[in-house]
Amino acid sequence: MSESVSQVYVVDDDVSVREAVSSLIRSAGLSVRTFASAQESLGSLREEVPSCLVLDIQLPDLNGFELQQELAAEGVQIPIIFLTGHGDIPTSVRAIKAGALEFLTKPFDDEYLLETIRTAIAGDSQAGQLGGGICEHGREDDLRMDAASRAMPNSAVNVMSSRLNGNAEAFGEMIGQSAALRQIAKQIEMVAPTDASVLILGETGTGKELIAGEIHRKSRRRAKPLVRVNCACIPKELYESEFFGHARGAFTSAFRDRIGRFEAAEGGTLFLDEIGEIPVELQSKLLRVLQEKRYERVGEDRTRHADVRIVAATNRDLKREVAAGRFREDLYYRLNVFPIRVAALRERKDDIPLLVKHFLDLLVKELRCPTPRLTRAGLEALQGYDWPGNIRELRNVIERAVIFARCGTLEFDLPVTGSSLDPISFAPQNAEKAQWEYLTEPEMQRRERENLLVVLQKTGWKIKGVNGAAELLGVKPTTLISRIEKMGLKRPA
Ligand SMILES: Nc1ncnc2c1ncn2[C@@H]1O[C@H](COP(=O)(O)OP(=O)(O)OP(=O)(O)O)[C@@H](O)[C@H]1O
Ligand SMILES: [Mg+2]
């Protein structure tokens, strides 16, 4: 083998696939060796390490997945591209989690396969220069993912880590540098190229929609639409029509044919936001299209095929919803192929300074005002707060502070409820200040009233539910209603 030409191994028991893939690889000026079984390839793999391995799953003796594990156990690190006719989602996710670079199903797209091989080879040579990998610590989930990244070929880890380290403060539109955010970035990198369903779980305002967007942008569906459906906003009787469309005359107000969201997202990604809000009696209809990839418009017999990747999000505890009989268990498992848990902002406070800077830059531009001063005490106050409304609340607080920063210094009006006794706020250098800085009762009441009015104005006096004033303030709707009454606040006519 020439030193300068990258070598690709192809393992497939189907001779026609071996021939097709090897001639494709040769046509790209690369060197290729083919093997009819994993056992046969193993001997050669122990002697020389190719730049990339294109591997079938169902093989006569050792299957592709077992070969991947065998190589990982022996410390042989090769970027693996799975190419299989048996492309069920759980297998692909398993393979990707164990470190496969890509999972493609037959019949494959020549250009996409070549592009993936080139990416693998480029990553592999980069791995030689960079060495090392990502090492993070965290909760159970994180550990599971860490195990995956340890088993992952160096090239794949390094392609990811170089993207993260190259710009440690941002991943797409996501700002932050915490271990939790990096973990999410890693998960997005892993799952985006597959067609696996993703379930994004996290409190309100943690960035679930942003993550859905990143998954779409990093998928091969990126040229096709990303369609968002807010399941909380659809009246019960319109769900079916919203999802699948309807034919003219299907019901009284159906004056013309209308395409549904599945059709609008054809070839792309359908983001089912607030999935926990779908009424249980309608969940079976969604399950059917996810399982069979077929649906009919309301009032029409013709069956349509759906080629749509599903990303769902919720701030509800879906397992508890299942236990309470409000969410179908089979639908839960269908959606939960690849869960991404988004940590609350209070669990990743090291992201706060970067986020503050990001929002300040953004808001100063948006509001066309001079950059206000952010004091150390101001930043400490932000880091000492619990952020029940997470990043959305942080943005709102900063926006308010920028508007009020008349004398050029930002002052943050943070509700007393929900603030955490973060040790930072009680550090010795603050003790003196804390002794002397206080507000009088009338001043406190005035501020609370002002704050309430700002939030109510922002939400259009929506109290309950997602993005309601109660949620943004981090209080129960009933508490908020009694406070409004007590202060005698009236909704403007
Ligand atoms: N890591 C981040 N970097 C920058 N902005 C972020 C980040 N995460 C969230 N945001 C911003 O915070 C706001 C809320 O994010 P998003 O709408 O994605 O949250 P969500 O989890 O979908 O909330 P909800 O459950 O209420 O729908 C948005 O303005 C978003 O751009
Ligand atoms: Mg959202």
Side-chain angles (χ1 to χ4, degrees):
M1 178 186 104
S2 151
E3 282 292 303
S4 55
V5 178
S6 295
Q7 172 93 293
V8 180
Y9 277 16
V10 177
V11 184
D12 202 304
D13 56 342
D14 184 335
V15 62
S16 61
V17 174
R18 283 202 305 275
E19 278 170 6
V21 177
S22 58
S23 75
L24 180 72
I25 293 171
R26 264 188 225 105
S27 74
L30 302 166
S31 163
V32 64
R33 280 184 73 182
T34 58
F35 303 87
S37 78
Q39 269 316 348
E40 199 186 313
S41 71
L42 201 52
S44 303
L45 284 165
R46 284 182 181 132
E47 278 166 22
E48 74 171 354
V49 179
S51 301
C52 171
L53 175 61
V54 179
L55 183 58
D56 191 14
I57 294 258
Q58 302 288 331
L59 290 162
D61 36 32
L62 201 65
N63 74 36
F65 197 60
E66 287 162 346
L67 176 64
Q68 180 190 26
Q69 287 173 328
E70 183 67 39
L71 292 172
E74 292 183 21
V76 182
Q77 297 183 327
I78 312 165
I80 297 176
I81 298 166
F82 279 105
L83 187 61
T84 176
H86 309 266
D88 65 316
I89 289 171
T91 320
S92 73
V93 172
R94 209 169 129 216
I96 295 276
K97 279 186 178 174
L101 195 64
E102 182 61 283
F103 189 96
L104 305 176
T105 48
K106 298 170 196 166
F108 56 89
D109 178 86
D110 284 6
E111 250 174 53
Y112 191 71
L113 177 59
L114 264 187
E115 191 190 313
T116 312
I117 291 173
R118 286 199 192 100
T119 307
I121 293 172
D124 194 48
S125 57
Q126 200 180 19
Q129 293 157 21
L130 296 173
I134 297 175
C135 182
E136 282 164 14
H137 303 282
R139 300 171 316 193
E140 193 189 321
D141 274 358
D142 301 350
L143 295 173
R144 188 159 48 83
M145 297 308 292
D146 277 347
S149 47
R150 272 197 300 279
M152 188 177 296
N154 244 354
S155 58
V157 172
N158 281 321
V159 169
M160 285 176 203
S161 62
S162 64
R163 276 179 210 160
L164 288 173
N165 294 336
N167 184 0
E169 301 182 354
F171 179 77
E173 286 179 31
M174 296 162 63
I175 309 295
Q177 59 179 12
S178 62
L181 190 99
R182 285 163 168 267
Q183 182 65 35
I184 290 170
K186 238 198 284 180
Q187 286 176 295
I188 295 174
E189 289 275 7
M190 277 191 215
V191 79
T194 74
D195 261 350
S197 298
V198 180
L199 181 61
I200 310 170
L201 304 154
E203 290 179 13
T204 183
T206 44
K208 297 187 292 298
E209 192 169 342
L210 224 52
I211 292 171
E214 288 305 324
I215 292 173
H216 177 71
R217 273 188 291 282
K218 291 194 161 45
S219 78
R220 62 195 151 95
R221 294 170 175 268
R222 62 186 159 268
K224 294 287 170 66
L226 164 67
V227 174
R228 173 179 178 245
V229 187
N230 186 346
C231 302
C233 291
I234 309 171
K236 213 173 186 172
E237 59 284 3
L238 289 185
Y239 259 99
E240 234 185 307
S241 149
E242 191 67 27
F243 278 166
F244 310 126
H246 62 242
R248 186 176 158 199
F251 44 88
T252 330
S253 56
F255 299 119
R256 63 181 75 143
D257 288 354
R258 183 180 187 269
I259 68 160
R261 301 298 176 101
F262 271 87
E263 212 169 328
E266 182 63 17
T269 306
L270 185 62
F271 175 41
L272 299 176
D273 206 0
E274 319 279 0
I275 188 96
E277 310 300 318
I278 300 188
V280 71
E281 58 273 27
L282 294 162
Q283 291 169 12
S284 55
K285 303 222 158 92
L286 180 60
L287 182 67
R288 181 195 165 219
V289 64
L290 298 188
Q291 275 173 343
E292 297 175 15
K293 304 202 179 307
R294 284 182 306 178
Y295 64 93
E296 290 89 30
R297 287 184 184 176
V298 178
E300 207 181 73
D301 290 335
R302 182 180 152 201
T303 299
R304 291 166 195 266
H305 180 260
D307 170 22
V308 164
R309 196 259 181 95
I310 301 290
V311 177
T314 182
N315 51 27
R316 288 202 187 193
D317 180 344
L318 274 196
K319 263 197 179 152
R320 197 182 298 164
E321 295 296 296
V322 169
R326 286 190 293 268
F327 204 83
R328 287 182 65 119
E329 191 173 16
D330 42 12
L331 179 58
Y332 170 69
Y333 285 115
R334 193 79 210 172
L335 294 168
N336 196 36
V337 174
F338 195 101
I340 295 183
R341 284 189 185 77
V342 197
L345 188 54
R346 64 183 164 280
E347 292 163 341
R348 47 172 163 133
K349 287 191 171 174
D350 37 341
D351 282 341
I352 290 178
L354 283 177
L355 284 165
V356 172
K357 185 182 175 308
H358 168 69
F359 289 134
L360 268 179
D361 291 347
L362 215 75
L363 289 161
V364 159
K365 251 187 233 152
E366 222 173 81
L367 301 168
R368 295 200 191 133
C369 59
T371 307
R373 221 171 29 248
L374 173 66
T375 62
R376 187 190 154 94
L379 192 58
E380 282 175 357
L382 295 177
Q383 285 191 301
Y385 179 62
D386 249 4
W387 301 110
N390 293 292
I391 299 172
R392 182 180 295 111
E393 190 188 6
L394 174 68
R395 192 199 145 108
N396 291 346
V397 164
I398 293 172
E399 185 169 356
R400 221 154 50 222
V402 170
I403 293 168
F404 284 120
R406 289 189 208 102
C407 62
T409 300
L410 290 163
E411 276 178 37
F412 302 105
D413 195 7
L414 298 168
V416 180
T417 50
S419 70
S420 74
L421 297 183
D422 191 295
I424 300 169
S425 351
F426 290 84
Q429 73 261 31
N430 291 329
E432 199 180 335
K433 218 187 299 161
Q435 245 179 13
W436 298 108
E437 278 187 4
Y438 58 86
L439 297 174
T440 60
E441 187 57 28
E443 178 63 11
M444 286 270 286
Q445 282 172 8
R446 190 188 62 78
R447 286 216 188 177
E448 191 179 11
R449 189 186 167 90
E450 257 179 29
N451 187 47
L452 244 168
L453 280 170
V454 170
V455 177
L456 288 168
Q457 217 171 341
K458 191 164 183 81
T459 64
W461 281 73
K462 181 184 170 195
I463 309 277
K464 296 182 203 170
V466 180
N467 295 339
E471 186 181 275
L472 294 188
L473 290 167
V475 297
K476 283 193 200 144
T478 45
T479 312
L480 182 57
I481 290 166
S482 70
R483 249 184 235 174
I484 291 172
E485 281 168 3
K486 208 167 107 196
M487 289 182 191
L489 300 178
K490 289 264 170 345
R491 186 185 185 141

